[in-house]
Amino acid sequence: MNITVAFNESMPLVGTNPAGHTTLFDTSPEFYGTGSAPSPVDVLLQTLAACSMMDIISILKKKRKQIVNLTAEVDADRAEEHPRVFTAVRIIYRLQSPDAAMVDFERSIELSMEKYCSISAMFRQSGCQIDWTGELV
């Protein structure tokens, strides 16, 4: 796996993967940014949600469940001292499906968080507590 991140005279930073897809990273003007893109810390939390959601979608689809909408709301705590690592993360997954039962949904989240999602594994191995709940809407 190989990516690049570049700074060209001003923010935002531009990350590029081998396929040419780009991700923008910025920060507030207080830290010489423009505020025009998410911070790396924001993106890290978004990545946790996206990684687990991809697993959840795959698991539910393998069970032949329809997914109308799936969202994840993420709330996190960080250490007071630098480096300000994440100490706790709470995720609320909300699924809209005409045929998925709560047991299917909860099992798909559990499998993602405990077995498949490499991002959640990295968070946990750093000592971060991850709690989640699922809601059918």
Side-chain angles (χ1 to χ4, degrees), residues 5 9 11 18 31 39 42 46 49 56 62 76 83 92 95 104 106 113 129 131 133 137:
V5 177
E9 296 187 23
M11 296 281 185
F31 298 106
S39 74
D42 294 335
Q46 291 170 343
I56 293 164
K62 285 178 184 171
I92 301 171
L95 173 67
D104 298 321
E106 287 180 335
M113 286 301 188
Q129 173 70 37
D131 295 310
T133 58
V137 293

Side-chain angles (χ1 to χ4, degrees), residues 45-57:
L45 286 177
Q46 291 170 343
T47 302
L48 170 61
C51 180
S52 64
M53 288 174 70
M54 288 181 183
D55 293 336
I56 293 164
I57 291 164

Side-chain angles (χ1 to χ4, degrees), residues 112-134:
S112 174
M113 286 301 188
E114 294 180 8
K115 184 173 183 178
Y116 296 115
C117 179
S118 56
I119 306 300
S120 69
M122 286 184 242
F123 270 72
R124 283 192 318 276
Q125 288 183 17
S126 74
C128 181
Q129 173 70 37
I130 301 176
D131 295 310
W132 58 266
T133 58

